Amino acid sequence: MKLIADGGSTKTNWCLVNDEGKKVYFNTEGYNPYFVSTEYIVKSLNDNLPADLEKDKLTEVNYYGAGCSTDEKRDIVKQAMSQVFPNAIVNIGHDLLAAARALLGRTEGFAAILGTGTNTCIYDGKDVVHNIDSGAYILGDEGSGCYIGKKLLVDYLRGYMPEAVRKNFWETYHLTPDDVNDRVYSQPLANRFCAGFSKFVYDNNVHLEYSRNLVKTSFEDFFRNLVTHYPNYKNYTFNCIGSVGYNFRNVLEEVVLEHGMKMGNIIRSPIDNLVKFHLENPAS
């Protein structure tokens, strides 16, 4: 039996493929090794994996995760997976490679992630060959759910929100400015906290112009600071994975076209395409 997983900073999508080829899907929280330890991952998996999953019968685990960009960070996740699935061969890859494989298969091109965080790359059909560091949620991650959430929270703290939006925000969350600062600067997983407010932006219908402008400027920052710095970026189609890119795809398409690229594939989650890739390319 094999497990294939796409792990974001907030959520991990899993697919179990048994020996007969049957697929079973389930979710756990995300395990970004920049924010969680091996011990945390082990406990979370043991608490949240399906109770009927026969962990000792797994022969292979292919896990792609946010933050798994260096040997050190991959090892944090690999140690956890090896403890939880003791008889499995464990392969840990970056979520950017998962995105590229899900979006492009064996075709070269440009791939991006717009979810809780942001990432981008040029893919040669086998591996990521050019990646501009996103800067993560404190220094960068333009266009991500976290980035959109931070812009919203700044407007709230500074009193820049239109009154109708501010009233809606308060009625939804009952957060004071002190509460916001405490969650961001004193509590763990601030990136997830900030990213959660992208849903408010998506759901907000009391001032559509405000929400749309906030999202569009976030995507414009994403292009200005990341996408346009890839050589010959206009020669590629724009392919993107992630809930933010998918949910705000109408605004994203507008920004893509304004920057001279053509739209390619926009999908919410890579897991189905990633499973297909591994079944077609078992040695990958």
Side-chain angles (χ1 to χ4, degrees):
M1 295 193 297
K2 299 180 181 181
L3 270 179
I4 299 162
D6 168 58
S9 290
T10 302
K11 182 176 71 172
T12 300
N13 296 313
W14 299 80
C15 179
L16 172 68
V17 183
N18 68 17
D19 295 336
E20 289 74 44
K22 180 182 177 182
K23 302 170 190 174
V24 178
Y25 294 87
F26 55 90
N27 300 322
T28 65
E29 66 176 304
Y31 305 113
N32 189 321
Y34 279 91
F35 307 115
V36 297
S37 66
T38 294
E39 293 73 22
Y40 181 97
I41 299 170
V42 170
K43 184 178 187 309
S44 176
L45 288 174
N46 285 330
D47 289 346
N48 294 290
L49 288 172
D52 59 350
L53 178 63
E54 298 177 293
K55 292 178 284 191
D56 59 337
K57 292 188 177 180
L58 266 292
T59 58
E60 183 179 321
V61 176
N62 292 289
Y63 177 91
Y64 298 85
C68 296
S69 53
T70 67
D71 289 341
E72 177 188 3
K73 297 303 180 186
R74 282 191 288 271
D75 193 54
I76 291 172
V77 181
K78 186 169 185 175
Q79 286 187 44
M81 299 291 168
S82 296
Q83 289 183 47
V84 175
F85 309 109
N87 298 318
I89 297 171
V90 177
N91 302 306
I92 306 296
H94 197 273
D95 64 341
L96 189 56
L97 179 59
R101 287 177 166 179
L103 287 162
L104 297 164
R106 288 296 189 184
T107 304
E108 66 177 312
F110 174 88
I113 297 171
L114 286 171
T116 299
T118 294
N119 219 331
T120 53
C121 74
I122 303 298
Y123 173 68
D124 69 356
K126 183 178 180 182
D127 293 308
V128 171
V129 293
H130 188 183
N131 165 241
I132 298 173
D133 198 311
S134 72
Y137 83 102
I138 292 177
L139 300 179
D141 267 357
E142 294 91 336
S144 68
C146 186
Y147 192 80
I148 291 169
K150 285 193 298 182
K151 288 173 72 70
L152 181 83
L153 291 173
V154 168
D155 283 357
Y156 177 63
L157 294 175
R158 294 175 177 171
Y160 295 165
M161 277 183 179
E163 183 56 34
V165 179
R166 186 177 181 85
K167 182 174 182 290
N168 189 18
F169 183 91
W170 172 255
E171 291 175 348
T172 302
Y173 299 109
H174 295 284
L175 288 169
T176 67
D178 285 343
D179 292 333
V180 170
N181 282 316
D182 178 66
R183 288 296 303 273
V184 171
Y185 295 108
S186 300
Q187 302 297 321
L189 302 175
N191 62 323
R192 290 189 198 172
F193 173 72
C194 293
F197 295 102
S198 64
K199 184 179 186 303
F200 175 83
V201 176
Y202 180 73
D203 291 339
N204 173 48
N205 57 11
V206 300
H207 200 304
L208 294 178
E209 183 180 6
Y210 169 78
S211 297
R212 193 178 193 284
N213 286 341
L214 192 152
V215 172
K216 186 173 183 183
T217 57
S218 297
F219 288 156
E220 288 171 341
D221 291 346
F222 166 66
F223 263 82
R224 182 177 61 255
N225 296 333
L226 289 167
V227 180
T228 60
H229 290 270
Y230 286 96
N232 305 312
Y233 73 94
K234 292 183 181 179
N235 293 342
Y236 300 101
T237 59
F238 182 87
N239 303 283
C240 176
I241 265 175
S243 59
V244 172
Y246 185 85
N247 289 338
F248 297 110
R249 58 192 178 277
N250 292 338
V251 181
L252 179 59
E253 181 174 4
E254 183 178 320
V255 177
V256 167
L257 296 177
E258 287 174 355
H259 285 83
M261 293 183 80
K262 293 181 180 179
M263 289 295 290
N265 298 317
I266 306 292
I267 60 178
R268 181 187 294 274
S269 168
I271 190 65
D272 286 326
N273 289 3
L274 200 55
V275 170
K276 181 175 181 288
F277 178 90
H278 273 279
L279 293 179
E280 293 177 350
N281 302 275
S284 296

